[in-house]
Amino acid sequence: RGYEVLASTQDTSHRLVAERSSKMALLFIILGGMALMTAVVGAVALSGTLTINVMDRTREIGVMRAIGASAVAVAGQFIGEGLILGWLSWLVAMPLSIPVGKLVINTLARVMNLELVYQVSPAGFLYWFIIVTILAVLASWFPAQKAAQTSVRESLAYV
């Protein structure tokens, strides 16, 4: 009889741990999805900013092309600017993410009535740096191509 009670208690504790683990996995998937959506929205905003930048600098692009800059050099300039903006945003976001992360974990711990421990992952910083780099290059690619395809004649005639 004592063995049955022990087995029942173990089954219940395993079930509770499994339920809690599945809830935490779902929570991490939702938070990861939100982080990725935020990064994609940032990439779209970067692309829009660079597109406006290309339009504003049409005459400058024309002068660069007129003095011999290749299409690759012009495109590289805008991709470089996109990378710099992406890396600066990463640099600002990383220190801010630590107190915000602590706040989120503490709030989740209170709401879910769990003991959660906040840990900073250096690998996570590196992963986000890589993600930001990829998104910055992708966001910069289309405005850079538009700048590279601008002809000298049309850019210098642009007012």
Side-chain angles (χ1 to χ4, degrees):
R1 173 112 179 126
Y3 176 74
E4 291 173 5
V5 171
L6 181 62
S8 174
T9 303
Q10 286 178 339
D11 288 343
T12 302
S13 66
H14 287 299
R15 185 175 45 81
L16 289 173
V17 167
E19 285 177 13
R20 202 170 262 178
S21 295
S22 67
K23 287 180 184 177
M24 291 304 293
L26 178 64
L27 180 65
F28 286 132
I29 289 170
I30 290 170
L31 289 174
M34 288 172 52
L36 196 56
M37 283 191 300
T38 302
V40 169
V41 168
V44 169
L46 176 61
S47 185
T49 300
L50 288 174
T51 299
I52 291 170
N53 197 8
V54 167
M55 289 172 32
D56 286 345
R57 294 170 56 190
T58 302
R59 290 186 62 88
E60 178 184 331
I61 294 166
V63 170
M64 288 171 51
R65 295 296 304 270
I67 62 172
S70 67
V72 173
V74 173
Q77 178 180 350
F78 286 96
I79 290 175
E81 287 178 17
L83 275 172
I84 289 170
L85 288 172
W87 291 338
L88 284 173
S89 69
W90 175 85
L91 195 61
V92 169
M94 287 305 107
L96 293 175
S97 70
I98 293 171
V100 171
K102 285 181 183 178
L103 179 66
V104 168
I105 291 298
N106 291 338
T107 303
L108 285 174
R110 273 189 253 118
V111 168
M112 297 177 71
N113 198 20
L114 293 172
E115 184 178 331
L116 299 175
V117 177
Y118 178 74
Q119 293 180 347
V120 175
S121 168
F125 288 125
L126 177 63
Y127 294 147
W128 275 107
F129 182 78
I130 292 167
I131 291 168
V132 164
T133 299
I134 291 168
L135 287 174
V137 169
L138 290 175
S140 305
W141 183 259
F142 297 109
Q145 291 304 307
K146 183 177 180 345
Q149 293 172 356
T150 304
S151 73
V152 175
R153 182 173 169 233
E154 77 181 54
S155 61
L156 292 177
Y158 182 78
V159 177

